[in-house]
Amino acid sequence: MNTYVVTAHKASIVEHTQVGNFFSPLKRNLLVGRTTRIDVYAFTREGLVHTLEIPIYGRIAVMKLCRPPGDDQDQLLVLTERYKFFVLKWNANTNRCETLAGGDVKDKIGRMDNHNIIGIADPQLRCFGLYLYERLLKIIPTDYSREAYNIRIGDNVHEIVFLYGCATPTIACLHGRDSGYLRALEIHQDVNPVEASQEVWQIEIKASFGTRIVAVPEPLCGVLVIGEDTITYVANPPRGEPLSVRIPSSLSKQTVGRVDQDGSRYLLGDDTGALRLLVLEKHENKVSGLKIEELGTTSISSAISYLDNGFVFIGSRFGDSQLIELLKEMDPESKMNLRVMATYPNIGPIKDFILVEDEKQSRKVVVTCSGLSLRVIRNGTSVVEQASVQIAGITGMFSLKRKAKDPFYSYLIQSFTTETRILEMTSATEMQEAVIAGLNHSAPTLFAANTVGDTIVQVTGDGIILLSSETMTATSEWKPPNTCRITVASGNVEQLLVATSDGSLISFEIDPASKSIVEKGHVQLENEVSCLDCTPLGDESRAKWAAVGTWKDVNVQLVSLPELKTVLVENLGGNLIARSLLFTTLDEKTFMLLVADGDGYVVSYLLNPNGRADDILSEKRRINVGTQPATLVPFRNQNRMFVFAACDRPTVLYTAFRSHKLLCSNINLREVTHVCMFDSEAFPECLAIATESSLIIGGVDDVQGFHVRTIPFDEQPRRITRVPKARLFAVLFEKQDGLRERKESGSPKTEMDGVVLLNNDFQVLHRFNFQENETGCSLLATTFGNNDEDAQEHVVVATAYNTEGSANSETGRILVFTIAEARLLLVSETEMKGFVFCVEQFMGGVVAGVSGRVILLKWEDGENNTKKLVPRSSRHGQILVLALDCVDKWILSVSLEKSVTLANRNRPVLEASNERIYVKTLSTRAI
C-alpha cells in the first residue's frame, strides 16, 4: 500500500528571529524561522507585510544575520539539525537568494551534542563558529577557499558567543554543571588547528541549564550572563568585581533581544510570559550599573526582535506570536507599558489532538492541546458577522445602488412568499426599512438590478417594472398575458430574460435613451422553465448566450441572445433536473458553466465562448455540496471571483491558482437559503446571507485557509478526549509554576494538576484535582465493551507521582469516573506500581503501559454493588512503554528503547500467544 502525505498546515511555531537589511541597504526586514522555512517581512505603516518565503530542506537549528565589513547588506547563516550549513544573500538584480557557501559540516568522529547546537558569527565576519560535538568548536573561515577545522574548548559547554572589539576573533564560553566559569579564547586562523585557540581570561560564575550569555557591542563590550535569578555584566577583559542585578523572580529560561545598537538596553522574556527591560547604565563608555524595569506580559517568548520606533516582534513556540508596541506611559486599562498590535496564530506545540464532529456545522474539526490553550481547527471559510437581525422566510435577495455610478450598495431587496421588503442604508452605520414608490411591494421579487441609463429593473410574477434612479418612478412596464405569470427571471445591466408559466421564454433589452423595456425574442418551450442565467463572461456588459433548464428535461440548453436560438443541448445524465445555473469567470482565462441539481450536486463545465457547437462545453465534473438543491450566486472577495452555493451545507466554489480545477470550501454556517453581494460603506466587501430564521451581513475570511479558534488557559492541557454520548470533553491539565494569570483565561486558578470537564463551548463544568505531586498522563472515554445505546460512559485517567529526587515515578493510579449532572464522579481507583504513561480500551477492559510493562485490566464487580478495574495479566521486557494501540486481539506498544512490539491476546486466558518485535533507529512517541 502506498501512502500520500501532504502538509495541510505549515509549521507556525517561531524559534528564530533576526532583523536586518536582507533585501537592500535601504529596507530593514524581519526574518522569522519556522521549523522548515524562513518567512521574510517588510516594515510598513500597516504593520508587518509578508514578502518572501524561503523553504529549507531540514529543520532550522541556527539562523543568524551577519554583515561583512564595508558591505551595507546582510547575509544569512543557516544550519539545520542534520548539520547542513549554508550562507545566503539576496540578489536585487535577479530577485533571488544566492548561496555564497554551503556544505555538510558533520564529522566522522565526535559525540554529538543534539541538545545544544550553537551557531555564532564573528562581528567582523572573519569566521563562523559551530558547536556540534562535545568539547569541539568548528571554525569556518569566511574566506571560503580555506577548509573548516575544529578547536577544543572544554567540557560542559552551556553557550558560546563571539566578543566585540577584539583584534583577533575571540569567543566567550560558559562552562559548568553544579558550579561554572566563564572564559575567553582567542582563535588564530593562520596556525595549526591544535594550537589555534588560546585562553585570554577566565572567571568563576554561577551557571545552570537555562543560563544565557550575550555579547555586548562596542563601545561597552563585555558579556552579559543571564541566569535564573541574577544578571551579571563581565567586562572584556574583566575589571574588578562583576556588576550584578537580581531578577524579580527565579526562572529557568530567559529570551533576550537587543534594543540599541550600542547594547545599552535589552528586552528579557521569561517562561511565564513576563517582559522586562534591562538597562546598562554607563559612564565614559563603561558600564557603571544594571537596572531592570517591568514592562508587562506577552506570549511566552522563544525569540525577541526589536524592530524600530518602539515596535517589537515576540516569536513564540508555546503560543501565538505577537507584534507589540512599547509605551512610555503605562496603559490605564492593561496596567502595562506595552500594547499588542497584531497576533500571528500558532497551533504548536501540540501535545494531543482529537478529531470530532462540530454539532453546529455538521463538519469534522480538530481540537488540539497547544501550549497554554485548546485550539479548534477547521478547514473551510469563515463568515465574519458584522450585523444580524431575526428575519424568517426570505426567499430571495438583491442589492441595489441609488445610482449606477455609486461605489457602494444602498438598498437590500428582500423577497418573501407574498411580499417584497427593502432595507436602506440611511447613514454610514444605520439601516432601516424603506419604501420605494415605483416598486411592487405586494409580490415576491424574482430579479432586481441596476441597469443602463441609470435605471432599476424589478421582475415579479405580475410583470417587469423599469424605474428611473433619479425619480424612483416607473418609466416602462411589461406584463405577461392574463392567463400566465412570470416564474423565473435573470438579467444583467443591458439584457433581461424571463420565463412564464405557459413555457414561454422571452428576451428583452434596456434602451438607455428612452429608459424603456424592448422585447427582442420569444420562443415557446415544451416544458416549463426551472432556472435561467444570462451572466456576461469576463468584463463584457452583454451576454452572448443564456442557459436554460426545464422541469422535465434532464438537460441544459444554451440559447443565443437576443434571438433565443438553440445553440447546444447538454445532457446532465441520470434523472437530475437543473435547479440553478450560472455562467462564471473565476479567473481571467477560466470560463465555466455551473449547474446545481436537485440532489445537492454541482456540475461544472469548462466553457469555450469561441468554440463550435460540439466544443463549447468540456471537462464535465461533479462536486457534492449538500443534500438539498443549491442556489449559485457569484461574489467578489479580495479581487477574486468566487461562487456561493447556498444550501443545507453552504459552500464556496473557486478555482486553484493557475488551474481549471474547481475546488470547494465549507462555510461556518449550518444552512443558507439565499445570498447576495452587499458591498456598502458600512460593510465593505460583505455578503447579505439569509438563513431560515435570520439575516446576516458579514465578510468572508480567507477562502483557502485553515481557521483556528483559541481557548486560552492558565495551565497546559496535556491530553484530551471526547465523551460522545454526554457531548462533553475531558481534558488533563498540568499546572505551570510561576505563570502569570491571564484575564481571558478560561481555567480556574489551582495549585494541582487535574482532569476537567468542558462543554461544547469549552466552558469549565467541573474539575477533579489530583493529589500532591500527581500528574495526569493519559485519559480515555469508554463503555467497557458495552455497545448498548444506554450504556454508561466512563472516563479513565492514568496518573503518576513525581517523586522529588527521582528521575522515574515509582507509583501511579488508574482512576475511573462516571458523569452525572455535568460532574465527574470517582467510582474506581486502582494503584499501580510504576508510571502509568498510557491507557487504551481493550476487550471489555483496558490495557495500560506501566513503566516497562503492558498490563491488562478487567472491569469486574466489586464490593457493595460496585465495579473496579482489576489487573489480570501483564507482559514485561520493555524499558518504558510510551504509547499503545489496540485492534481486535492485537496490542501494539512503543517503547523508549526505539522498538515497536506487537502482541496477540487470547480472549479466554488473556495470555500472550505470539509476539513480534520491530526495532527501528528513530524514536517513536505515538502510534
Side-chain angles (χ1 to χ4, degrees):
M1 181 181 70
N2 296 323
T3 302
Y4 175 69
V5 180
V6 65
T7 300
H9 189 283
K10 293 181 180 179
S12 55
I13 65 171
V14 175
E15 296 177 308
H16 311 276
T17 61
Q18 293 284 292
V19 175
N21 299 87
F22 183 67
F23 281 147
S24 73
L26 302 178
K27 296 180 180 179
R28 285 174 62 79
N29 304 102
L30 170 67
L31 281 73
V32 179
R34 291 188 168 98
T35 312
T36 58
R37 76 182 193 278
I38 299 173
D39 290 322
V40 184
Y41 295 85
F43 306 160
T44 67
R45 293 181 178 179
E46 291 75 26
L48 294 174
V49 177
H50 187 267
T51 56
L52 178 68
E53 178 182 312
I54 305 174
I56 305 297
Y57 186 66
R59 296 175 64 91
I60 301 171
V62 174
M63 186 187 82
K64 288 188 179 297
L65 280 178
C66 43
R67 182 177 299 184
D71 200 348
D72 52 7
Q73 188 174 345
D74 292 320
Q75 301 174 4
L76 181 64
L77 163 68
V78 179
L79 174 69
T80 69
E81 291 184 356
R82 293 192 176 182
Y83 295 176
K84 303 297 182 182
F85 158 87
F86 51 91
V87 180
L88 302 176
K89 186 176 182 179
W90 181 259
N91 188 327
N93 296 324
T94 61
N95 284 330
R96 296 185 65 181
C97 277
E98 294 182 349
T99 303
L100 302 181
D104 192 335
V105 291
K106 190 180 294 183
D107 291 334
K108 295 182 179 179
I109 59 172
R111 178 181 296 177
M112 292 184 179
D113 194 338
N114 294 323
H115 302 289
N116 198 23
I117 299 176
I118 301 173
I120 54 177
D122 175 54
Q124 299 180 40
L125 209 60
R126 292 166 289 193
C127 61
F128 299 113
L130 302 178
Y131 179 71
L132 311 175
Y133 299 91
E134 293 182 3
R135 307 175 185 175
L136 299 176
L137 180 67
K138 183 178 291 292
I139 301 299
I140 302 176
T142 51
D143 178 5
Y144 299 121
S145 61
R146 301 174 57 188
E147 291 187 1
Y149 57 92
N150 292 321
I151 62 171
R152 293 190 175 274
I153 57 173
D155 295 332
N156 300 326
V157 175
H158 281 281
E159 196 158 5
I160 312 170
V161 295
F162 270 105
L163 297 179
Y164 287 84
C166 300
T168 302
T170 305
I171 61 171
C173 300
L174 181 66
H175 302 260
R177 184 168 292 166
D178 299 326
S179 62
Y181 58 93
L182 179 70
R183 66 171 182 159
L185 297 173
E186 284 186 348
I187 299 173
H188 300 278
Q189 301 188 63
D190 299 325
V191 299
N192 190 310
V194 179
E195 304 172 352
S197 61
Q198 179 180 349
E199 184 174 307
V200 181
W201 51 263
Q202 178 175 318
I203 183 174
E204 290 188 4
I205 200 158
K206 183 180 178 181
S208 60
F209 177 75
T211 303
R212 299 281 312 274
I213 61 174
V214 178
V216 179
E218 297 178 272
L220 300 177
C221 298
V223 182
L224 285 171
V225 182
I226 303 172
E228 292 184 358
D229 52 12
T230 306
I231 299 177
T232 303
Y233 169 77
V234 180
N236 180 30
R239 297 185 297 268
E241 197 68 23
L243 300 172
S244 298
V245 63
R246 290 193 63 82
I247 301 175
S249 57
S250 179
L251 301 164
S252 60
K253 173 183 174 259
Q254 294 279 357
T255 308
V256 185
R258 192 175 72 196
V259 176
D260 303 306
Q261 291 298 317
D262 64 356
S264 58
R265 293 185 300 171
Y266 294 85
L267 291 168
L268 306 177
D270 62 28
D271 51 8
T272 70
L275 185 68
R276 301 180 176 93
L277 180 67
L278 171 66
V279 180
L280 275 62
E281 298 173 333
K282 53 187 177 181
H283 177 69
E284 296 181 352
N285 289 334
K286 294 182 180 180
V287 177
S288 59
L290 305 176
K291 184 173 65 174
I292 293 180
E293 299 177 5
E294 293 278 346
L295 296 178
T297 303
T298 66
S299 295
I300 298 176
S301 59
S302 57
I304 300 176
S305 285
Y306 182 83
L307 305 179
D308 202 1
N309 296 325
F311 288 92
V312 181
F313 183 80
I314 306 293
S316 178
R317 66 188 310 272
F318 304 101
D320 295 338
S321 297
Q322 297 172 325
L323 176 65
I324 66 171
E325 181 184 10
L326 301 180
L327 306 176
K328 294 181 180 179
E329 303 293 335
M330 181 180 292
D331 188 303
E333 294 185 3
S334 64
K335 307 296 182 183
M336 298 189 299
N337 286 81
L338 60 86
R339 177 171 53 227
V340 178
M341 306 300 294
T343 300
Y344 304 88
N346 167 32
I347 64 171
I350 299 175
K351 292 286 188 180
D352 193 16
F353 72 92
I354 55 173
L355 183 67
V356 297
E357 183 89 8
D358 187 339
E359 296 181 358
K360 294 181 180 179
Q361 302 176 29
S362 299
R363 296 187 178 97
K364 296 287 186 180
V365 298
V366 176
V367 183
T368 68
C369 299
S370 302
L372 297 174
S373 65
L374 292 176
R375 305 291 175 111
V376 183
I377 307 167
R378 64 176 187 82
N379 184 16
T381 302
S382 288
V383 173
V384 182
E385 185 177 309
Q386 304 289 334
S388 65
V389 62
Q390 295 296 315
I391 301 177
I394 296 177
T395 59
M397 290 192 299
F398 311 91
S399 51
L400 298 176
K401 299 176 181 179
R402 288 189 176 92
K403 294 184 178 182
K405 294 183 179 180
D406 287 352
F408 299 111
Y409 292 107
S410 300
Y411 299 105
L412 181 62
I413 310 296
Q414 306 155 81
S415 178
F416 295 85
T417 306
T418 60
E419 63 177 339
T420 293
R421 299 178 190 171
I422 302 174
L423 286 176
E424 180 184 8
M425 293 294 304
T426 57
S427 67
T429 57
E430 293 184 1
M431 293 183 71
Q432 66 181 24
E433 195 160 348
V435 175
I436 298 177
L439 294 182
N440 184 355
H441 291 264
S442 60
T445 297
L446 302 177
F447 177 78
N450 292 93
T451 48
V452 292
D454 212 7
T455 57
I456 295 174
V457 67
Q458 180 197 25
V459 182
T460 66
D462 300 329
I464 305 172
I465 302 174
L466 189 68
L467 288 77
S468 169
S469 297
E470 295 180 358
T471 62
M472 288 297 179
T473 57
T475 61
S476 180
E477 293 188 29
W478 181 89
K479 293 184 180 295
N482 294 331
T483 57
C484 60
R485 295 175 57 82
I486 298 176
T487 56
V488 187
S490 178
N492 52 59
V493 295
E494 295 186 16
Q495 299 164 299
L496 193 62
L497 190 65
V498 300
T500 59
S501 55
D502 64 348
S504 296
L505 183 64
I506 309 165
S507 68
F508 301 88
E509 290 187 1
I510 309 299
D511 184 357
S514 61
K515 296 186 178 181
S516 61
I517 307 166
V518 181
E519 184 175 333
K520 291 291 185 178
H522 185 291
V523 295
Q524 186 70 35
L525 303 177
E526 295 182 1
N527 299 307
E528 190 174 344
V529 174
S530 61
C531 51
L532 292 170
D533 187 65
C534 59
T535 303
L537 297 175
D539 297 327
E540 300 291 330
S541 60
R542 297 172 58 86
K544 179 180 179 180
W545 299 316
V548 182
T550 60
W551 283 108
K552 291 187 178 180
D553 297 325
V554 290
N555 58 44
V556 173
Q557 298 182 42
L558 293 190
V559 298
S560 62
L561 291 177
E563 305 87 4
L564 301 181
K565 294 181 179 179
T566 301
V567 177
L568 174 68
V569 177
E570 176 67 21
N571 193 345
L572 297 177
N575 298 317
L576 303 178
I577 295 174
R579 303 294 295 274
S580 180
L581 296 166
L582 180 66
F583 288 108
T584 182
T585 309
L586 291 179
D587 59 45
E588 295 179 357
K589 299 181 180 180
T590 304
F591 305 121
M592 284 189 171
L593 172 64
L594 303 181
V595 184
D597 63 28
D599 288 345
Y601 283 87
V602 173
V603 182
S604 68
Y605 297 91
L606 276 182
L607 183 65
N608 182 5
N610 302 316
R612 300 186 305 272
D614 58 351
D615 192 36
I616 294 175
L617 299 179
S618 62
E619 296 189 26
K620 177 182 176 181
R621 290 175 180 166
R622 296 182 72 210
I623 296 177
N624 180 248
V625 296
T627 60
Q628 301 297 324
T631 302
L632 304 174
V633 180
F635 70 95
R636 182 175 292 276
N637 184 52
Q638 298 177 1
N639 296 321
R640 283 194 62 188
M641 286 301 301
F642 299 89
V643 175
F644 197 115
C647 57
D648 58 327
R649 296 177 184 172
T651 304
V652 171
L653 304 175
Y654 62 97
T655 53
F657 181 65
R658 295 180 180 176
S659 170
H660 295 159
K661 185 178 180 180
L662 189 67
L663 304 177
C664 61
S665 179
N666 298 324
I667 294 286
N668 63 332
L669 298 173
R670 178 171 284 274
E671 186 169 357
V672 172
T673 57
H674 205 81
V675 66
C676 74
M677 278 292 298
F678 193 64
D679 185 9
S680 61
E681 187 175 0
F683 310 111
E685 284 198 341
C686 281
L687 299 174
I689 301 171
T691 66
E692 289 184 348
S693 60
S694 64
L695 170 63
I696 300 170
I697 296 178
V700 177
D701 242 348
D702 183 9
V703 171
Q704 303 175 47
F706 277 80
H707 299 277
V708 181
R709 175 191 170 195
T710 302
I711 302 95
F713 294 92
D714 282 332
E715 48 190 343
Q716 184 180 57
R718 184 170 178 175
R719 294 288 184 268
I720 184 171
T721 191
R722 177 71 167 171
V723 188
K725 294 181 181 178
R727 297 181 179 179
L728 301 173
F729 294 94
V731 184
L732 290 180
F733 279 96
E734 183 178 355
K735 69 179 185 298
Q736 300 294 300
D737 294 332
L739 187 67
R740 297 189 171 193
E741 185 176 355
R742 286 163 167 76
K743 293 181 180 179
E744 70 273 15
S745 170
S747 60
K749 193 172 182 180
T750 179
E751 297 298 328
M752 301 290 182
D753 294 356
V755 56
V756 176
L757 204 60
L758 306 176
N759 62 15
N760 281 336
D761 292 326
F762 299 97
Q763 297 173 335
V764 176
L765 301 177
H766 183 243
R767 180 187 183 101
F768 179 89
N769 286 332
F770 300 139
Q771 297 176 2
E772 188 175 358
N773 297 326
E774 187 179 20
T775 299
C777 302
S778 180
L779 82 165
L780 167 73
T782 178
T783 58
F784 289 116
N786 189 344
N787 296 322
D788 296 340
E789 291 186 2
D790 57 350
Q792 189 173 25
E793 292 178 306
H794 296 81
V795 176
V796 181
V797 179
T799 74
Y801 288 93
N802 297 320
T803 307
E804 243 181 87
S806 175
N808 297 317
S809 175
E810 297 179 356
T811 58
R813 294 192 296 170
I814 299 179
L815 309 176
V816 181
F817 298 88
T818 58
I819 299 175
E821 298 180 353
R823 294 178 63 85
L824 290 166
L825 302 179
L826 181 63
V827 297
S828 173
E829 174 185 348
T830 305
E831 291 190 1
M832 308 299 293
K833 294 182 179 180
F835 190 113
V836 189
F837 199 86
C838 47
V839 61
E840 286 292 335
Q841 179 175 323
F842 184 67
M843 296 175 61
V846 297
V847 60
V850 184
S851 295
R853 298 174 295 160
V854 176
I855 300 179
L856 181 61
L857 300 97
K858 294 294 291 182
W859 185 239
E860 298 181 352
D861 294 330
E863 299 177 353
N864 301 323
N865 295 324
T866 62
K867 282 184 171 287
K868 63 179 181 179
L869 281 175
V870 180
R872 286 305 180 193
S873 66
S874 64
R875 180 196 172 279
H876 301 257
Q878 294 172 286
I879 295 177
L880 177 62
V881 180
L882 299 176
L884 290 168
D885 196 19
C886 305
V887 176
D888 195 18
K889 300 179 182 180
W890 296 92
I891 300 174
L892 198 62
S893 60
V894 174
S895 179
L896 185 65
E897 73 271 17
K898 303 179 181 180
S899 70
V900 178
T901 303
L902 181 65
N904 184 297
R905 302 284 172 170
N906 290 325
R907 189 180 297 272
V909 297
L910 299 176
E911 293 179 352
S913 58
N914 72 67
E915 61 183 40
R916 288 171 286 177
I917 298 180
Y918 300 87
V919 179
K920 299 292 183 181
T921 57
L922 297 177
S923 298
T924 306
R925 297 303 303 270
I927 198 166

